[in-house]
Amino acid sequence: MPISLGSAFIKNFLGKAPDWYKVAIITFLIINPIVFFFIDPFVAGWLLVAEFIFTLAMALKCYPLQPGGLLAIEAIAIGMTSPEQVKHELVANIEVLLLLMFMVAGIYFMKNLLLFIFTKILLGIRSKILLSVAFCLTAAFLSAFLDALTVIAVIISVAVGFYAIYHKVASGQPILATHDHTHDEQISELTRNDLEDYRAFLRSLLMHAGVGTALGGVMTMVGEPQNLIIADHAGWLFGEFFIRMAPITIPVLLCGILTCVIIEKFQVFGYGAPLPANVRQILMDFDSQARQNRTKQDIAKLWVQALIAVWLIMGLALHLAAVGLIGLSVIILATSFSGIVEEHAMGKAFEEALPFTALLAVFFSIVAVIIDQQLFTPIIDAVLHIDDKGSQLALFYVANGLLSMVSDNVFVGTVYISEVQAALTHGIISRDQFDLLAVAINTGTNLPSVATPNGQAAFLFLLTSALAPLIRLSYGRMVFMALPYTIVMTLVGLVGVIVFLEPMTGYFYDLGWITHHSLKAGAMLSSH
């Protein structure tokens, strides 16, 4: 039955999003100008922030770029902020945008190496506990130098590949050179008895890896986008950022690994399922055949990517250039020595990062509203005037953590570090206290946010991937499986902020490992 033009407009609006969601967004767009012009701009600003957080929390219903972008456009149109202020925020955070545009794309061209590494880990370790720890630690190490979203994308690619191998075998398709009727009987038995165990095995590994990206991502300035924003405001380079976070991040990492061992050993919260023996044999046969078919050119590409990985780590550790520019160099080197010279072949590398880059630009538009309307100023002023510095740190950590559980941690981190920077500029806090608060904000946005897919981009990417329904990984199951990690990481992080942060920072000052004299921070202060 043909529909009217009006119905077509309504159906096209936000596509497949539920009707109630579409009505909610339209209602927001109608209410905001009324509140702004006739009630109170301050109230309208807070309403906008709540609406934007709602779009982030409902990311599974509709990607936040469209509804959040409509809210941001309206906010600029009615005067809640200005295009100049939005541009100022974008320019101030250009390194983060470059990180997303070029670093994620650069790692796309190193996927062969990363796939090779994770394949060897999966098939080379028979103990499920050791395998889980290996996946968690490897993801943590990679996320300390690469974007966490890229790392989880690689791990998903590995899991999809392994599941595809199983699926072909289970459906009777020959994938091995030596395929016989005896093997067909094993396939039938495998299909009946091992499917659920295999799904549970993959679910647990992916969740361990996802948590690993959070454990490693919090440690360095390039692990998560908000880390780079915080480091930029504070004027910290790679080494200093790592050392400042260490009093919290090292204990959290150790306790996170211990949690991994315990939940695997006692098979709780959906963990502990081993790789079925029949499946392992099929995967090893396939890997052996793939190794035999690997050409000299393929081997040369792996060596080139390994050398580029060394350059990447050295470039980031020594801060030889802006992170995004190092990512651009990875793109150039990896494509040059891998024979990728067609434009369409390179374009695929940018598909994963650019939607999130656009969403980040919308984030900064909302941040511009928060700054112009001074929404967070009363709250942060109240916290900053608390005499007990330890209480200040704990409150910042908890506030960031709670918001990051339901919202995106990039958004939360950007807002809070901007307000604390303003407090430093106006002499409300000292440089020492600013440094401590910056650590509390970074760890607060990274650690408790593992509670839900809303807070961690890597978790959300996993949940919305094509693999999730294949292995029966739903939103509720992901929250349940993340629960032990959430409790341990949040509490250990809070103890670290209260007990260890200030004494260890003073100790590092005495050793000369960290310093007040940040050129960027000093320049920012002198400019005001």
Side-chain angles (χ1 to χ4, degrees), residues 494-515:
L494 180 60
V495 170
V497 167
I498 296 173
V499 177
F500 301 121
L501 180 56
E502 194 166 2
M504 289 301 294
T505 300
Y507 176 70
F508 291 146
Y509 274 132
D510 293 340
L511 291 178
W513 289 359
I514 57 178
T515 174

Side-chain angles (χ1 to χ4, degrees), residues 263-282:
I263 59 180
E264 279 292 334
K265 181 175 179 60
F266 293 99
Q267 300 185 356
V268 292
F269 292 96
Y271 295 96
L275 176 62
N278 291 331
V279 180
R280 171 181 287 277
Q281 187 57 51
I282 289 171

